Amino acid sequence: MIFTLWYAYATIMQWWRLRTLLNKLNGTLNDQNALLVCSGHSVHDSRKQRSLENLLFCTETRIACTVVPKQKLNLSQWIAFPRNLRYFPIYIDDNKIPIRGREIFILLQAVLDNYVKHQSEIIQVENFGELVGWKASDSFEVVVKTDLEHLTKLVNQFSQNNLDINHELKLLKLETVDVENAPTVIKYEKKYLKEQTVKYSYAPVHWNKFVQEVKDLYSKIRDITTPKIKIENGSPQCLESAKPIKKEPKKNAEERKTLTTLDVSTGAEHRRHKKPREGPSKSSKPKPKEKQHKHKRTVNKLVKQSSVKENDEVKSDVKDKVLKSVTMAPKPPNVLVYADSLVTKDNVKRVLFSILNKEKYTIYDLPTSSKHTGWDKSTVLVVVCGSVPPDLTSNLIQYLLTGGQLLSICSDLMYSILYTFTTAEVREHELVRFSYGQWQHVKMMHHIFCYQASPAKKQFSKDSDHSSNGSSPLAPRTPSNVEMRHNEKDYNIQVQVLGTEETWHTPSLLLAKVKNSQGRAVFSQVHLEIDPDVYENDEEKFQSLLSSNEARLEILKDILSSHLDLTCDDSFGTIEYSQGYFLGCYDAKVNMMTDCDSITNNQLTCDKISVVFCGHNVDPGIASNIRLPVMIHSCPSNFSTLDYFDTLNTEDIGRLVIYADILTSTQHLLCKKLRHGLVVIARQQTNGIGRSNNSWLSPLGCAAFSLQMHIPLDSNLGQSLPLIQHLVMVAIISSIKNTQGLDRLNIGIKWPNDLYAEAEIKIGGLVVTSTILSNVAIVNIGCGVNLSNQNPTICINDLIEKFNKENDTSIKPIPYEKYFAAVFNEIERLYLDVQKNGFEPFFDLYYQYWLHSDVEVTIQSEKGDSTRAKILGIDKYGFLSVRLVDGTMTSVQPDGNSFDMMSGLIAPKKF
């Protein structure tokens, strides 16, 4: 009887404890913070810059608290569990735990490398949720998808006892996390008996064998996720063999003795058979930029001289000193976006696209790998929304302090930089009236109600004192300076209030400038990115935000242009798409429409757009980003078909053209098998596609086309299909240089498929996709070249004008229509020659134009190890052929690697 009463009492107490803990967790956990349960000394982690927010409980051995910011795990670096759990070296029951309510992801970390003598309660983690992924490095980690009830039970057990999880692994900590992407699926090959997977002998030799098996399994992820180069025994090896070309680039004996190192900062060209460049005529004075190029040539000369006279140490020092004053013209500027949710990221990118100059900037996702720091080289602005992971926070702070620009919208990044600020009170998603400059009483959504200076801060800005006219006489003033120490250096950040919330007159928009640096950041607690449509189900908020939407866009535009020096469009107008035109011989057009299986009832349905071919007396209907009416019997007013077809002398390529003034992307029209030689030309693209799905800016003046080729697989080119990208780029350069007088125009190929001017400025590129149907490859080539557009870098016709001034010539600019015809002529000529005579003549021409002859590069492994290699050329598949320092020859593939060839670096991709 007494035992029964005690058992009932214990059951009630356990139920009460669980309910109390559940209520406490339910009231404190949110999207911004994370629950952390661990030993007291493990709360602080030097690798994660986070703050403790709330203490939930503390025992002799355990502490539970909430920390901010919550970390987000990229599950692509984790491994999925096998379907048959007998293939896993740790015993796991095949349980199916139902998840009720809000899904919560938890990270469990346990000791792996050494066995801790078992004195704890053993639990099976699969009894508390669904196993998502695992990894094994210094510890064993597993991500579990669960709900609040199961999380409460697990936390309760962990709070009362030391726990061992599956295979007697000592549990170190439990933490709630956010996740992105899916875990990697590997092939599990070895099957285990249950006796093996429950536990091993305590003897170190047996435990070490178990640990090695687990780590060997995890190492398989590298075979899938790492690039094609790896380091083995100090030397890089290519994972896929490629035969070197039979013939090395021609060079004389003197050239063989010289090994030139390509350096981005010199702006040097390294090309075969390069003719001396003539200086400007006596009658024309060099422009500042021309002087810069002259200075760069002088730098190269000085460096070369120093390499002969001095030892290695002095040579390096001389080069470093000389190159400090030399800067390279940038690539097209990028705006990078980071947000803690896909919805927010889409909102930000959409509003930026509507405001920023579309001819100048490309908008990308910010790479989140902590190892990747190269993204800041061509970045003019980073936009951050929401919670930021600690490793990324450190990179962003470094970017700001060294001259970068940030726009922080409702992000906890502010607390890492302006750490003297807190929040006056928390009222998330509040509709308030907001003032900024000439814009008054603007209704906006607030994230956290307001910024507030820490009372401990004694230095305040008089400009920020609003207490004299505010409704709250106690409204806080804002500190004018924040001192920061980062990477052993001290910085001073000057703070200015730009906008305020009108009820309490507290600052909601701040400008922070790094003293003695170009670094600037704007911190906003109003949701500048949210479109009113987000609140269409809330009538009051929707109408209020709609009435202020024009002001919101104007405020954001003013912030970008006035405080962050970006160029914005003059209006927020929508893009007006227009009808297209089918150009070419009438019989050829009819044959394509009747013989092509992809065209039904005069309509071609592609993945992202539908093309409707319209004959006489057919209403074309409305043109849009997803619908293109194409007139069969009409000609465009701003594309001279006379100039085009008079210049064109091909049999197939370019004989049929679909032309449009504005398209999303020319590539979108070629997703089906159509006709060999069919070309799509757009005077302007709104969503141009580059390599690796990067954006390609295609403003007016950019010569953009897509070409479909049908290549037999048993032909010369069909057996070396990747060379098609090199053939097309050679054709483009050859067609330009074949123009009378332009054989010395300073343009060349940056491997694998970019067009560069003066060896340093990107002015063109192409992307190739292919599909194999039977014995034919359907190859779609998309290409864009800056022909007459000065943005985002420079263009061919500007180079011609510069060439005329330097050489006292009068070469005319290349007309738009004649450029396309000349390129298609050269593509067909090279294509037929390769199919008939092989690649030897093509390689000779290719090496006249490329920029990497006799260049040394550094090949860097995923682990950071590096080795030097000399570039020899390209192999029969178009891959880069290099000779390592030990004499070994290997090939480097473009996919899976990041090639900063102009700075002599080949490294694994970081994003």
Side-chain angles (χ1 to χ4, degrees):
M1 182 66 179
I2 294 175
F3 179 81
T4 303
L5 291 174
W6 179 85
Y7 182 81
Y9 172 79
T11 302
I12 293 172
M13 288 301 295
Q14 179 74 353
W15 175 86
W16 176 83
R17 186 181 292 111
L18 285 172
R19 300 311 297 176
T20 302
L21 180 57
L22 187 146
N23 291 334
K24 185 177 291 188
L25 293 177
N26 192 38
T28 54
L29 291 183
N30 56 49
D31 293 337
Q32 282 72 44
N33 63 27
L35 169 67
L36 175 65
V37 185
C38 59
S39 61
H41 60 81
S42 300
V43 173
H44 175 70
D45 186 349
S46 59
R47 295 172 297 180
K48 298 183 177 66
Q49 301 175 5
R50 297 192 291 181
S51 302
L52 190 151
E53 188 182 57
N54 292 306
L55 180 65
L56 299 180
F57 63 78
C58 182
T59 67
E60 293 182 357
T61 58
R62 290 287 176 272
I63 184 171
C65 58
T66 56
V67 293
V68 289
K70 181 191 294 186
Q71 68 168 313
K72 178 178 285 187
L73 301 181
N74 183 352
L75 293 182
S76 61
Q77 296 302 312
W78 294 62
I79 296 180
F81 288 86
R83 292 185 179 181
N84 185 342
L85 294 167
R86 296 286 71 80
Y87 284 89
F88 199 64
I90 297 175
Y91 178 77
I92 299 172
D93 277 326
D94 193 11
N95 291 344
K96 301 294 182 183
I97 303 298
I99 306 299
R100 299 183 178 90
R102 181 167 65 98
E103 293 180 350
I104 299 174
F105 291 88
I106 57 175
L107 167 66
L108 300 174
Q109 185 183 65
V111 176
L112 179 63
D113 278 345
N114 60 295
Y115 177 76
V116 179
K117 188 176 181 180
H118 172 63
Q119 294 178 337
S120 310
E121 179 183 355
I122 298 178
I123 66 166
Q124 300 290 116
V125 294
E126 64 272 19
N127 293 333
F128 294 88
E130 175 186 337
L131 302 187
V132 177
W134 68 277
K135 67 187 300 186
S137 50
D138 295 335
S139 58
F140 179 77
E141 296 175 89
V142 59
V143 173
V144 179
K145 182 169 71 174
T146 185
D147 54 28
L148 188 59
E149 183 176 351
H150 286 97
L151 174 63
T152 303
K153 292 178 180 178
L154 182 57
V155 171
N156 180 62
Q157 285 192 260
F158 196 21
S159 67
Q160 298 181 58
N161 307 283
N162 289 326
L163 290 184
D164 287 351
I165 63 172
N166 313 54
H167 207 89
E168 298 186 8
L169 299 171
K170 182 178 178 59
L171 186 61
L172 294 175
K173 75 172 184 179
L174 174 158
E175 181 179 353
T176 59
V177 294
D178 287 333
V179 299
E180 61 181 1
N181 300 324
T184 301
V185 177
I186 66 169
K187 185 177 181 181
Y188 293 82
E189 298 172 340
K190 181 179 178 181
K191 206 169 185 178
Y192 296 87
L193 299 174
K194 183 176 179 180
E195 305 88 80
Q196 294 176 290
T197 58
V198 173
K199 67 176 182 180
Y200 278 13
S201 165
Y202 301 152
V205 63
H206 296 296
W207 186 265
N208 291 340
K209 179 177 180 294
F210 156 71
V211 171
Q212 192 59 48
E213 285 184 339
V214 174
K215 289 190 173 182
D216 287 346
L217 262 182
Y218 183 71
S219 68
K220 288 190 174 185
I221 195 171
R222 300 190 187 97
D223 298 337
I224 300 174
T225 60
T226 54
K228 302 299 181 183
I229 301 174
K230 65 177 182 179
I231 296 289
E232 290 183 354
N233 301 323
S235 300
Q237 303 292 329
C238 186
L239 298 184
E240 293 184 18
S241 61
K243 297 179 181 179
I245 56 176
K246 296 179 181 179
K247 180 179 178 182
E248 284 192 19
K250 294 179 181 178
K251 50 187 177 183
N252 57 39
E254 191 65 27
E255 285 177 325
R256 290 179 183 273
K257 296 179 182 178
T258 305
L259 183 62
T260 307
T261 301
L262 183 64
D263 195 299
V264 63
S265 53
T266 66
E269 279 193 59
H270 301 277
R271 188 179 354 148
R272 298 179 193 283
H273 314 302
K274 179 183 173 185
K275 297 180 181 180
R277 184 176 175 183
E278 297 180 8
S281 63
K282 295 181 180 180
S283 60
S284 62
K285 294 182 179 181
K287 293 182 179 179
K289 192 171 183 181
E290 294 169 336
K291 290 181 180 180
Q292 186 185 50
H293 292 306
K294 183 178 180 181
H295 175 53
K296 291 177 181 177
R297 291 193 291 273
T298 304
V299 169
N300 294 335
K301 185 177 180 181
L302 288 173
V303 172
K304 187 175 181 181
Q305 290 173 349
S306 68
S307 65
V308 175
K309 297 179 181 179
E310 306 294 333
N311 58 36
D312 289 342
E313 183 177 353
V314 175
K315 174 173 59 179
S316 176
D317 183 61
V318 170
K319 184 175 180 179
D320 289 342
K321 289 181 179 178
V322 174
L323 295 180
K324 278 185 178 179
S325 61
V326 184
T327 57
M328 186 187 74
K331 287 183 179 181
N334 298 330
V335 175
L336 304 181
V337 177
Y338 174 83
D340 58 3
S341 74
L342 292 176
V343 173
T344 303
K345 185 187 295 183
D346 288 343
N347 288 337
V348 173
K349 293 169 81 169
R350 190 179 300 111
V351 72
L352 289 176
F353 183 80
S354 70
I355 292 176
L356 292 176
N357 187 318
K358 298 173 184 59
E359 297 185 0
K360 190 170 184 179
Y361 306 105
T362 48
I363 302 171
Y364 294 117
D365 290 350
L366 176 73
T368 55
S369 170
S370 60
K371 297 180 181 179
H372 186 84
T373 56
W375 49 260
D376 57 349
K377 293 181 180 179
S378 58
T379 300
V380 293
L381 178 68
V382 176
V383 184
V384 180
C385 295
S387 300
V388 182
D391 54 347
L392 182 56
T393 296
S394 179
N395 285 346
L396 290 173
I397 291 175
Q398 182 66 22
Y399 170 68
L400 171 67
L401 296 177
T402 53
Q405 297 194 135
L406 295 173
L407 173 58
S408 172
I409 302 177
C410 303
S411 173
D412 58 4
L413 180 65
M414 190 270 295
Y415 303 112
S416 300
I417 298 175
L418 305 183
Y419 57 89
T420 57
F421 288 75
T422 60
T423 54
E425 56 182 296
V426 177
R427 267 196 265 162
E428 295 191 55
H429 307 296
E430 184 83 8
L431 183 63
V432 301
R433 289 183 179 273
F434 170 77
S435 295
Y436 165 77
Q438 69 187 50
W439 295 273
Q440 304 292 312
H441 318 305
V442 181
K443 294 180 181 178
M444 302 279 278
M445 293 301 299
H446 237 287
H447 174 59
I448 297 177
F449 189 65
C450 61
Y451 297 137
Q452 176 173 307
S454 169
K457 188 73 176 178
K458 295 182 179 180
Q459 185 179 5
F460 295 94
S461 169
K462 293 180 180 179
D463 295 338
S464 302
D465 187 357
H466 298 284
S467 59
S468 59
N469 58 1
S471 58
S472 170
L474 299 178
R477 292 177 293 179
T478 307
S480 58
N481 290 277
V482 173
E483 302 292 338
M484 170 177 280
R485 185 169 182 79
H486 186 73
N487 289 341
E488 305 300 323
K489 293 183 180 180
D490 294 322
Y491 299 89
N492 181 278
I493 301 176
Q494 300 171 331
V495 184
Q496 176 187 348
V497 176
L498 299 180
T500 59
E501 180 276 325
E502 293 180 358
T503 302
W504 297 97
H505 291 270
T506 50
S508 298
L509 192 65
L510 301 175
L511 171 65
K513 296 182 178 179
V514 182
K515 191 175 181 180
N516 300 323
S517 169
Q518 295 296 315
R520 284 174 290 181
V522 174
F523 297 96
S524 173
Q525 285 296 85
V526 290
H527 282 284
L528 297 168
E529 84 285 4
I530 289 184
D531 188 275
D533 290 343
V534 173
Y535 292 94
E536 61 182 353
N537 294 327
D538 187 326
E539 186 63 24
E540 180 182 357
K541 288 182 178 179
F542 174 72
Q543 291 299 331
S544 297
L545 294 174
L546 190 63
S547 65
S548 298
N549 194 48
E550 184 175 350
R552 174 184 70 92
L553 296 173
E554 290 173 350
I555 290 171
L556 181 56
K557 181 177 178 180
D558 189 77
I559 291 170
L560 293 171
S561 59
S562 300
H563 300 294
L564 299 171
D565 293 339
L566 270 68
T567 306
C568 298
D569 283 340
D570 294 332
S571 66
F572 310 116
T574 57
I575 298 171
E576 294 185 3
Y577 292 91
S578 58
Q579 63 191 27
Y581 300 88
F582 199 9
L583 311 178
C585 172
Y586 175 74
D587 290 340
K589 290 189 283 188
V590 171
N591 289 338
M592 180 183 128
M593 294 174 59
T594 54
D595 297 343
C596 182
D597 295 335
S598 301
I599 300 176
T600 305
N601 297 326
N602 291 339
Q603 182 164 326
L604 168 65
T605 303
C606 302
D607 295 336
K608 296 184 178 181
I609 194 169
S610 293
V611 180
V612 181
F613 294 93
C614 306
H616 287 301
N617 302 319
V618 174
D619 182 8
I622 299 174
S624 69
N625 63 323
I626 59 173
R627 184 182 186 274
L628 176 67
V630 174
M631 311 308 295
I632 299 175
H633 304 291
S634 302
C635 291
S637 59
N638 56 352
F639 184 90
S640 174
T641 53
L642 182 62
D643 286 348
Y644 175 78
F645 285 107
D646 278 354
T647 309
L648 191 70
N649 56 24
T650 65
E651 291 292 328
D652 296 303
I653 295 179
R655 279 294 157 190
L656 286 180
V657 178
I658 298 177
Y659 170 85
D661 289 336
I662 300 179
L663 273 179
T664 51
S665 171
T666 55
Q667 286 288 89
H668 290 168
L669 273 65
L670 299 182
C671 67
K672 303 286 182 67
K673 179 182 178 183
L674 296 173
R675 180 186 173 107
H676 174 67
L678 174 68
V679 169
V680 181
I681 295 176
R683 190 166 285 271
Q684 187 176 6
Q685 293 183 111
T686 60
N687 189 24
I689 301 172
R691 189 167 166 263
S692 299
N693 280 326
N694 287 334
S695 298
W696 177 263
L697 295 177
S698 302
L700 288 172
C702 176
F705 72 85
S706 288
L707 162 67
Q708 184 170 106
M709 298 180 70
H710 299 175
I711 304 175
L713 294 178
D714 58 359
S715 65
N716 285 333
L717 190 56
Q719 294 176 21
S720 299
L721 207 55
L723 282 175
I724 187 65
Q725 61 181 329
H726 304 296
L727 185 147
V728 173
M729 186 54 71
V730 167
I732 291 169
I733 297 178
S734 181
S735 67
I736 296 171
K737 285 180 171 286
N738 286 342
T739 301
Q740 186 174 4
L742 291 183
D743 58 314
R744 290 183 292 133
L745 193 67
N746 196 354
I747 57 176
I749 299 172
K750 179 204 168 190
W751 185 85
N753 51 19
D754 288 335
L755 175 61
Y756 266 58
E758 300 179 348
E760 61 182 20
I761 309 171
K762 182 174 179 176
I763 60 172
L766 56 85
V767 60
V768 178
T769 61
S770 62
T771 304
I772 305 299
L773 294 179
S774 185
N775 61 344
V776 175
I778 310 302
V779 181
N780 295 324
I781 304 129
C783 179
V785 170
N786 294 353
L787 180 64
S788 301
N789 53 301
Q790 295 179 343
N791 282 328
T793 53
I794 60 174
C795 62
I796 295 294
N797 284 334
D798 280 352
L799 291 173
I800 294 174
E801 182 181 353
K802 179 183 175 184
F803 182 86
N804 285 335
K805 291 179 180 179
E806 291 178 345
N807 297 278
D808 196 21
T809 55
S810 56
I811 303 170
K812 294 182 179 180
I814 300 176
Y816 187 73
E817 295 83 356
K818 290 187 177 182
Y819 163 81
F820 288 114
V823 168
F824 301 150
N825 290 342
E826 193 67 6
I827 291 175
E828 184 164 283
R829 184 188 72 80
L830 289 175
Y831 171 73
L832 295 176
D833 186 62
V834 165
Q835 296 293 59
K836 181 179 179 180
N837 302 315
F839 288 102
E840 292 299 318
F842 165 74
F843 280 133
D844 288 340
L845 185 59
Y846 177 82
Y847 289 126
Q848 291 182 33
Y849 298 148
W850 89 325
L851 303 173
H852 310 299
S853 299
D854 293 336
V855 171
E856 274 194 351
V857 293
T858 298
I859 299 179
Q860 191 175 77
S861 73
E862 180 72 25
K863 295 180 179 179
D865 302 323
S866 61
T867 186
R868 298 292 287 173
K870 178 184 175 182
I871 295 178
L872 302 178
I874 58 174
D875 63 20
K876 64 178 292 186
Y877 301 106
F879 302 150
L880 199 65
S881 182
V882 300
R883 178 181 288 124
L884 308 178
V885 290
D886 63 0
T888 305
M889 292 182 60
T890 187
S891 294
V892 179
Q893 302 184 41
D895 290 333
N897 294 276
S898 175
F899 297 92
D900 192 2
M901 293 289 295
M902 309 312 291
S903 59
L905 175 67
I906 303 176
K909 271 187 179 178
K910 304 300 183 184
F911 63 99

